[in-house]
Each structure stands twice: as structure tokens, then as C-alpha cells.
Amino acid sequence: MMQPDRQRVQRMRLLNALLLGLLGVLVWLTLLLPQQQTGSWWPHAVTPWQDYVLWQLRVPRALVAIGAGAALAVSGALFQLTTRNALGSPDIIGVNAGAAAGIVATLVVWPHVLPVPVGALLGALLAVTLVYAGSLRRFGPLQTTQIVIAGIAIAAVCLALVNFAVSQLRIEVAQQLATLLSGSLASKQWRDVGWIFGALLVILPIIIWLRRELTFVMVGHDIASTLGVPVRRANLFSILCAVVLASMAVLVVGPVAFVALAAPHIARRLQLTRGAGLLSAALMGALLMLASDLITLLLPTQGRLPIGVVTAALGGCYLMTLLYSELRKQPT
């Protein structure tokens, strides 16, 4: 038993090192390209304009992409772990849509009543509460199919409210809000970096505290309960952490689709394990987000596409592949 565990740990460490190296390469490419706006480029940014573009535009954008991707991936991994469903992610079960509805409510419907981050968090918490109420079960063993169906329904209602609110705005304001709600890394500042990494730093100690419980919950709720693990407490805190991370990511970059769903799956496939692998999932999420941003930079379009367009296109293909593989596993 010790040898397979040791091999699994070594494989996980190797994967994390590889993902970290690839992430460094993508950061370098993101800061390097394109060069036509600034002439010679980093690390030879010598003019004030080059220095401004590098430190006020490129670096914050790259850091926000890394932080938001990691936050969404960890959120998705926690939801998949607690719901025990391959489709359990904040964008599938309505958390992202609830956070977007909360943001729109605080900006449009009730301006200056609540801070925008509080609105995003309350919207996400209300969405996940309605989803669990719709599944007719408490925190513990869950009807995963009911959760997904309830999540799709809640997400549809939230998106309808968002579209209604946007339709009542002036065209200029509606276009800006629509760009944000499609998922965008445009005009990110150091303040946004502080928001997303602040959320990660707050949630990280809680996840470390829950590490033992999450390890047993991964095996199964019934087995974990038999071993004396407080499953309901672990699920509750896990879901709260996932909601906070997803809400802050939506607040900073908008409801970027499919990163939370795909990153944990890809990380587990590369690890050849069914474990949580939260660090690997976080690195994979950051890698996917930064790679999608680099794709928007290289596409031959008139303007730079919102990153949510790229992740939705890539994630749709991945979702179809995932659904097809799940259908093949079912007995005929």
C-alpha cells in the first residue's frame, strides 16, 4: 500500500511542477505579446509608456487571470466533491448566475444600498440555497441529479433577471455591463488583483483545516460517517468556501464559463486518481484562464474578444466529450 501511495504523491508533485512551469511560460508570452503597441518590450521597457502598459495593464491582467482561474477551479473541485457529481460546478448549478444577478441588483436595481462584493456573495448564497432546497435534501448524502436540474433552473431564472435589468439601461451602460457578464479581463487593475487573491488567502486556511474531512468525504459519505467524520459540517464549509471563491471570481472577471467544470476533471485525469487534488486543480484553472486570454490575443479579430467567449467555446466541446464518456459508462 505504501508504494502506490508514494508513486501517487510523486506523480502529483511532478504534475504540479509541470503545470507551474507551463504557467510561467504563458505569463512570459502574455507579457511579451503583442509588441506592436510598444516597440521593444519587457524586460527592456524603458519608456514611461512601456512601463505603464507593463505594470498597470499587462501584469494586473495576467495576475487576475491566474487568481480567477485558480478560484474557479477550486470552487468547481469542492462542488464536485460535495455533490459527488461530475457536473457539479458553480457555472452548471447556478452559483455564477446568482452572483451575476447579485452584482446587477447592487449596481442597477438597488444602487448604493450594498457594496458590490456583498451583493455578489448574497446572490450566490441565495442561488445555492435555492438549489439545495430544490433538491429536497439537507447537507449530507445528496441527490446529485436533482441538484444539477435545480441548478439549471435557478441559473435560468437568474440570467432572465440579469437580461431584464440590462434591457432597461442605456445602450452604452448596457454594453459595458454585457461585456462584464460575458466574462472579461479588460481594464483590470491592482485593486482587482487584491480582491481575488484576498479571497484565496482567506479561504486557503479553511481548506487546509478541512483537508482530513475532505479526504474521507471523497471516499463516500456513508463510509465517512461510519468513521466518525462530520460529513454535514465538511459539506457546509466546503460549499461556503466554493461560493465565496466563485462569487469573487464573478465579481472580478464576470461569469466565465466552464473553467470551474473542466479544470478539476483535467487535473484528475492527468493524475490518474479520483482524489480532490485542489492544488493541481487550481494550477490547471489558472493555466486554462491564462491560455484562453492568450488565445484572445492571437485571434485575428478587430477587437480583443472577452475571455468568456473563448472559454465557452472550448468548454462546450469539453462538456460534450464529458457527457459522451459518461453515457458510454452507463449499462445498456
Side-chain angles (χ1 to χ4, degrees):
M1 292 297 294
M2 293 299 296
Q3 189 65 22
D5 290 340
R6 187 176 305 165
Q7 292 177 354
R8 182 178 61 85
V9 172
Q10 291 177 352
R11 186 167 57 244
M12 185 179 301
R13 290 176 179 175
L14 180 61
L15 175 62
N16 292 339
L18 178 61
L19 292 177
L20 195 59
L22 290 175
L23 191 61
V25 172
L26 287 184
V27 169
W28 181 77
L29 290 175
T30 302
L31 298 180
L32 181 68
L33 299 172
Q35 300 183 12
Q36 63 268 21
Q37 295 179 353
T38 56
S40 61
W41 193 238
W42 185 77
H44 304 291
V46 293
T47 67
W49 169 245
Q50 291 174 342
D51 185 75
Y52 172 80
V53 171
L54 175 64
W55 294 107
Q56 301 302 322
L57 299 179
R58 300 288 179 80
V59 174
R61 181 178 181 126
L63 291 177
V64 167
I66 292 172
L72 288 172
V74 173
S75 178
L78 290 174
F79 271 116
Q80 290 169 13
L81 180 64
T82 54
T83 62
R84 303 188 63 78
N85 192 313
L87 299 179
S89 67
D91 42 2
I92 297 295
I93 64 176
V95 177
N96 285 2
I103 292 173
V104 171
T106 54
L107 289 176
V108 178
V109 183
W110 301 296
H112 310 298
V113 176
L114 288 174
V116 179
V118 176
L121 183 59
L122 290 178
L125 286 173
L126 179 60
V128 76
T129 301
L130 292 175
V131 167
Y132 274 82
S135 66
L136 301 178
R137 298 293 294 270
R138 295 184 178 182
F139 296 106
L142 300 170
Q143 295 293 331
T144 57
T145 303
Q146 294 180 3
I147 287 177
V148 173
I149 295 174
I152 293 173
I154 296 300
V157 173
C158 292
L159 291 178
L161 294 175
V162 169
N163 292 331
F164 173 77
V166 171
S167 67
Q168 304 302 309
L169 299 175
R170 292 181 301 174
I171 295 178
E172 298 82 3
V173 180
Q175 288 178 343
Q176 294 177 356
L177 193 57
T179 301
L180 172 64
L181 294 176
S182 64
S184 176
L185 289 171
S187 304
K188 296 308 169 188
Q189 305 174 359
W190 287 103
R191 177 186 60 186
D192 302 308
V193 177
W195 275 114
I196 193 65
F197 279 94
L200 287 170
L201 290 177
V202 169
I203 296 302
L204 180 61
I206 302 177
I207 294 178
I208 294 176
W209 173 59
L210 291 172
R211 182 175 57 183
R212 176 181 175 274
E213 285 83 354
L214 292 177
T215 302
F216 285 102
V217 169
M218 175 188 64
V219 179
H221 290 143
D222 295 335
I223 297 177
S225 299
T226 304
L227 296 175
V229 177
V231 175
R232 292 186 178 182
R233 186 189 70 177
N235 284 345
L236 176 60
F237 278 99
S238 298
I239 290 172
L240 289 177
C241 290
V243 168
V244 171
L245 290 176
S247 302
M248 291 301 102
V250 172
L251 174 66
V252 174
V253 300
V256 176
F258 292 110
V259 172
L261 173 67
H265 282 284
I266 298 174
R268 283 194 293 267
R269 289 177 182 272
L270 293 177
Q271 289 178 355
L272 302 178
T273 179
R274 298 178 59 188
L278 295 180
L279 178 57
S280 300
L283 292 174
M284 181 59 68
L287 190 65
L288 290 177
M289 185 76 80
L290 202 57
S292 299
D293 189 41
L294 187 60
I295 291 174
T296 65
L297 186 67
L298 299 176
L299 285 176
T301 54
Q302 292 182 352
R304 195 164 181 180
L305 292 176
I307 191 173
V309 176
V310 177
T311 59
L314 298 177
C317 298
Y318 179 80
L319 180 60
M320 292 300 297
T321 304
L322 179 63
L323 290 174
Y324 179 71
S325 63
E326 291 294 327
L327 289 175
R328 290 187 60 184
K329 293 178 182 178
Q330 296 180 0
T332 57

